[in-house]
Amino acid sequence: MDSGDRVSCSYAGSMLEGTYITKRDGKAVIKLGNGYNIGVSFDAVTKTGDAEKREVVKGGFTQEEGLPDLAIVSTGGTIASKIDYRTGAVTSQFEAEDIMRAIPGLASIGNFTSHVPATILSENMTASIWRELASTIYSEIESGVEGVIVTHGTDTMSYSAAAVSFMLKTPVPVVFVGSQRSADRPSSDNLMNGLCSAAAAVSDLGEVSVVMHGTSSDDYCAIHRGTRVRKMHTSRRDAFRTLDMDILGKVDYPSLKVSLNKHAGRRGSFEPELHADLEEKVGLVQFYPGMNPDLIRSYDGYAGLVVAGSGLGHTSSACIEPLRELVSSGTTVVMTSQCLNGRVCDRVYDTGRDLIEAGVIEGVDMLPEVAMVKLMWVLGMEDDKEKVRELMLSDLRGELGGCTPHGL
């Protein structure tokens, strides 16, 4: 048998159909119709058909006059993935044109240009790729596109959306989109998410957002602010949630009607600006009971550190002196909360007041990872410690959920 051949097999008393992938540990690895792999004895496998031969045609997309000009900026991820029949793994290999080919409905929404600044799984994202990504998006906006779609792996998409939110002030929609399940699975969300992201990209939105399934059904996609969103489930299609504020809006499916809430930034409110400098020596650490204070000391020499504290933003008393030492040596330390909802307030209990006295900045209600990305950006622009404190306490891109943002 060759990889990709259609087969039937006996497994746990049932006859199943699937696709032969490879031989591993003396077993035949079969991909079932539901997207999962099983290993069975070759004696239990019968070939039922040859691997499908598909002709792949590069380019040749028909562009329709009068449709909005949009850009697809691809970084990889499951929405841009396919099956590697050598291993059965889902691999990020598609270029942006392949996404357009896989989601033909995009052609009726806009005319697309495509760019591939990176082809990675999102756990391999870096600050240097963030800078290249923001610069690519900025160039597309300057060229006159009416919206930008960024395809991205879901694991770290909220980090990248936050990074681009700070680095780029945009007059047009910049829409991050991914999928939880690859296109070979019947429950894949790539088609709906892709179409909804394109609808958001031609809407009246005027900020960086994440567009993903709003529920486990195929009824609508939620539009999340790039600085208030987090992936909250490992595999559900509606894994993404806006925390401590309302979503920006939604895209109904299959009508693709876009509804924006009042607090969503609007198209054309700003001229495009790019400030892509990032300080990479910024850490993020989560406090836990019994934490060894030496873990705090290990960040000596860092420009910044974000702490995800307990409750209102606390650490143990044993961690306060190492944090004081970091601040005294020039490290900017920002306190956030593991609770994700609510505000840091270090003025209620003694440990909190001690943290403030040690020079720790209260992170208001920023999500820990957003505070980390923001601190990277602020320290990339500013050396003055008082100005850094002022910017970290200011709402610049809607990252403070209960405040009116200055930058939107």
Side-chain angles (χ1 to χ4, degrees), residues 42 52 59 137 159 190 201 209 271 311 314 345 369:
F42 276 91
E52 183 179 357
I137 296 169
Y159 286 80
N190 73 328
S209 67
E271 292 298 316
H314 296 148
C345 183
E369 62 271 27

Side-chain angles (χ1 to χ4, degrees), residues 304-315:
L305 176 65
V306 173
V307 180
S310 59
L312 290 169
H314 296 148
T315 67

Side-chain angles (χ1 to χ4, degrees), residues 128-184:
S128 62
I129 298 176
W130 282 341
R131 286 189 286 266
E132 185 175 359
L133 177 60
S135 297
T136 300
I137 296 169
Y138 175 75
S139 296
E140 285 301 301
I141 295 172
E142 285 284 88
S143 74
V145 299
E146 297 188 33
V148 180
I149 300 168
V150 181
T151 66
H152 198 290
T154 59
D155 282 2
T156 65
M157 183 159 62
S158 61
Y159 286 80
S160 296
V164 172
S165 294
F166 290 115
M167 290 189 286
L168 177 70
K169 189 177 285 188
T170 176
V172 304
V174 176
V175 182
F176 280 76
V177 65
S179 64
Q180 285 285 83
R181 301 173 186 176
S182 54
D184 66 302

Side-chain angles (χ1 to χ4, degrees), residues 18 63 80 91 94 100 106 138 151 154 227 230 232 235 246 311 317 334 337 346 368 380 382 393 405:
Q63 307 280 4
T91 57
F94 279 5
M100 296 163 62
L106 292 176
Y138 175 75
T151 66
T154 59
T227 55
R230 174 180 263 208
M232 299 295 288
S235 58
D246 291 334
S317 298
V334 177
S337 175
D346 282 325
E382 278 293 340
L393 292 172

Side-chain angles (χ1 to χ4, degrees), residues 292-314:
N292 189 328
D294 287 342
L295 288 174
I296 300 294
R297 293 189 176 94
S298 69
Y299 288 94
D300 182 38
Y302 271 59
L305 176 65
V306 173
V307 180
S310 59
L312 290 169
H314 296 148

Side-chain angles (χ1 to χ4, degrees), residues 2 33 51 91 172 195 285 303 308-310 322 326 332 385 392:
D2 296 320
T91 57
V172 304
L195 291 174
V285 63
S310 59
L326 284 182
T332 299
K385 292 300 181 183
M392 290 305 297

Side-chain angles (χ1 to χ4, degrees), residues 124-275:
N124 295 322
M125 185 57 67
T126 64
S128 62
I129 298 176
W130 282 341
R131 286 189 286 266
E132 185 175 359
L133 177 60
S135 297
T136 300
I137 296 169
Y138 175 75
S139 296
E140 285 301 301
I141 295 172
E142 285 284 88
S143 74
V145 299
E146 297 188 33
V148 180
I149 300 168
V150 181
T151 66
H152 198 290
T154 59
D155 282 2
T156 65
M157 183 159 62
S158 61
Y159 286 80
S160 296
V164 172
S165 294
F166 290 115
M167 290 189 286
L168 177 70
K169 189 177 285 188
T170 176
V172 304
V174 176
V175 182
F176 280 76
V177 65
S179 64
Q180 285 285 83
R181 301 173 186 176
S182 54
D184 66 302
R185 296 181 62 180
S187 60
S188 177
D189 50 342
N190 73 328
L191 174 63
M192 176 175 157
N193 290 351
L195 291 174
C196 287
S197 71
V202 298
S203 74
D204 198 37
L205 187 67
E207 59 176 285
V208 178
S209 67
V210 170
V211 171
M212 294 288 287
H213 261 62
T215 70
S216 59
S217 300
D218 292 338
D219 49 1
Y220 74 91
C221 278
I223 306 174
H224 305 279
R225 176 162 286 161
T227 55
R228 295 299 312 180
V229 63
R230 174 180 263 208
K231 184 176 180 178
M232 299 295 288
H233 196 279
T234 58
S235 58
R236 283 178 64 103
R237 299 194 299 173
D238 58 342
F240 283 77
R241 291 285 184 271
T242 290
L243 296 176
D244 229 9
M245 66 174 289
D246 291 334
I247 60 175
L248 297 179
K250 65 178 186 176
V251 184
D252 290 328
Y253 188 82
S255 70
L256 301 183
K257 177 184 177 182
V258 178
S259 304
L260 297 178
N261 290 327
K262 290 182 179 180
H263 63 285
R266 289 315 200 263
R267 179 185 290 273
S269 297
F270 299 96
E271 292 298 316
E273 294 181 21
L274 177 67
H275 302 282

